[in-house]
Amino acid sequence: MKRIISLASIFISFTTNAQDSISKLKVDISGFIDTYYSYDFNQPESKYKQNFLYNYNRQNSFNINIALLRATVSYENVYAKISAHSGTYVEDNYASENIKFLNEAYLGVFLNKSKTTTLEAGILPSYIGFESAITHANLTATRSILAENSPYYMTGIKLNHQFNDKWSLAGLVTNGWQHIEKPKSDIIPSFGTQLVYKPNHKNTINWSTFFGKEGYSGEFNTRYFSNLYWDATWNTKWHSIFGFDYGIQDISSENNEKATWLSPVMITQYNINSKWQMAHRIEYYQDEKNAIISSLFPFETIGNSVNFDFLPNSKFKIRMEGKWYHATENIFDLGNKKDNFSVTTTMSFEF
């Protein structure tokens, strides 16, 4: 009889602890779907528009840019995120990856009681730039050339510390410039930093850097990169982002030859009312030695875009954008034109 009572006590204790653990486990499911139609007035014969774009890059057809489902799980001081995705963005941007269906998959832990220091490891969202693959958070419908040609994701570890309400600093060790797997096992890991300053709730200044070995013409040499941006909300009507990328790629270790690229961009959004928004973007991208953008000619392009957004509610957006590129060389329409104009319409839902 005592043995039965003892076993019953152990079972009750185990059940109670299990229920307590389950009650502390928090699970959140979220997702995003982004559909689009895009038309390039240069009328390319292939189904693709431009080789330096990875979002909305199908010509004259209705498509899914990205459909994403995410699970966030937390328990005490540990959390994990995993999200699966599909769409033309995945086909274009993950073309060289063996693992394509994972948008993010990482573990995180708070290293102190105040939860100001975190360590994360896995497939992480990029710490570089102000535009993500999730359209809802971006001021414009399509992405800038700057965003399309810098990482959307990184694989590695990230240590972040929040000093106070205004300052935070992160350091990263990764597999390189937007790689899930390292392109070569014998090269050293890449390194990155992210410094964020928020003087108030309306302004954010972010400076991110990258240092590592990346491929150029079949050789892996050092790449240095810096991304700086200022995100400013002026009032309830106006919102602006000023960004600047600058990178240096070592071409040859023998003669110390280097390639550089740079890109300033300015985006301004105006809230017409609670249902309507508009935004204008002006950008410039220079990559004369094609360190980042593959082209038969030196890549030097200025872009302008205007978009109008309709928001029936906070989770749903319909957007239309007209975009014009002007290049110094005939890089469009199979090397026959310096100008390119396209129109893109998107409909997205975030939940």
Side-chain angles (χ1 to χ4, degrees), residues 200-270:
N200 50 55
H201 69 281
K202 291 185 176 182
N203 290 272
T204 299
I205 298 173
N206 186 108
W207 180 38
S208 298
T209 66
F210 173 90
F211 172 81
K213 288 187 177 294
E214 291 296 324
Y216 182 92
S217 298
E219 293 186 23
F220 278 79
N221 292 307
T222 304
R223 177 176 297 176
Y224 311 86
F225 177 76
S226 170
N227 166 261
L228 178 68
Y229 71 84
W230 173 26
D231 187 321
T233 301
W234 307 107
N235 49 46
T236 56
K237 293 288 187 181
W238 293 94
H239 183 181
S240 298
I241 296 177
F242 308 90
F244 184 74
D245 274 10
Y246 183 77
I248 302 172
Q249 173 75 46
D250 287 345
I251 296 177
S252 173
S253 55
E254 294 180 0
N255 54 18
N256 201 29
E257 186 180 358
K258 301 180 185 298
T260 62
W261 72 97
L262 60 90
S263 178
V265 59
M266 181 178 72
I267 304 172
T268 300
Q269 183 188 69
Y270 176 69

Side-chain angles (χ1 to χ4, degrees), residues 23-41:
S23 67
K24 291 181 180 180
L25 191 69
K26 297 179 181 179
V27 180
D28 179 62
I29 304 296
S30 60
F32 179 75
I33 184 167
D34 181 19
T35 64
Y36 74 97
Y37 172 83
S38 191
Y39 187 81
D40 187 327
F41 284 84

Side-chain angles (χ1 to χ4, degrees), residues 254-314:
E254 294 180 0
N255 54 18
N256 201 29
E257 186 180 358
K258 301 180 185 298
T260 62
W261 72 97
L262 60 90
S263 178
V265 59
M266 181 178 72
I267 304 172
T268 300
Q269 183 188 69
Y270 176 69
N271 292 313
I272 302 169
N273 53 45
S274 60
K275 300 291 185 182
W276 288 92
Q277 298 171 334
M278 66 174 294
H280 170 254
R281 172 179 58 213
I282 183 169
E283 58 181 325
Y284 172 77
Y285 202 98
Q286 182 190 89
D287 184 11
E288 293 184 346
K289 294 185 178 180
N290 307 119
I292 299 296
I293 298 179
S294 177
S295 174
L296 296 175
F297 304 97
F299 189 91
E300 187 176 357
T301 301
I302 188 169
N304 271 281
S305 70
V306 175
N307 63 275
F308 288 89
D309 307 338
F310 174 59
L311 292 74
N313 56 57
S314 62

Side-chain angles (χ1 to χ4, degrees), residues 122-175:
I123 303 174
L124 303 162
S126 177
Y127 64 99
I128 294 171
F130 49 85
E131 293 173 288
S132 75
I134 309 302
T135 304
H136 229 72
N138 300 329
L139 300 189
T140 57
T142 65
R143 314 292 183 266
S144 61
I145 306 175
L146 173 154
E148 292 281 56
N149 294 278
S150 59
Y152 280 109
Y153 59 89
M154 295 279 194
T155 303
I157 58 173
K158 178 181 180 180
L159 179 65
N160 186 80
H161 180 69
Q162 187 80 36
F163 294 97
N164 49 45
D165 293 338
K166 296 182 178 182
W167 291 94
S168 68
L169 177 64
L172 296 96
V173 182
T174 69
N175 284 344

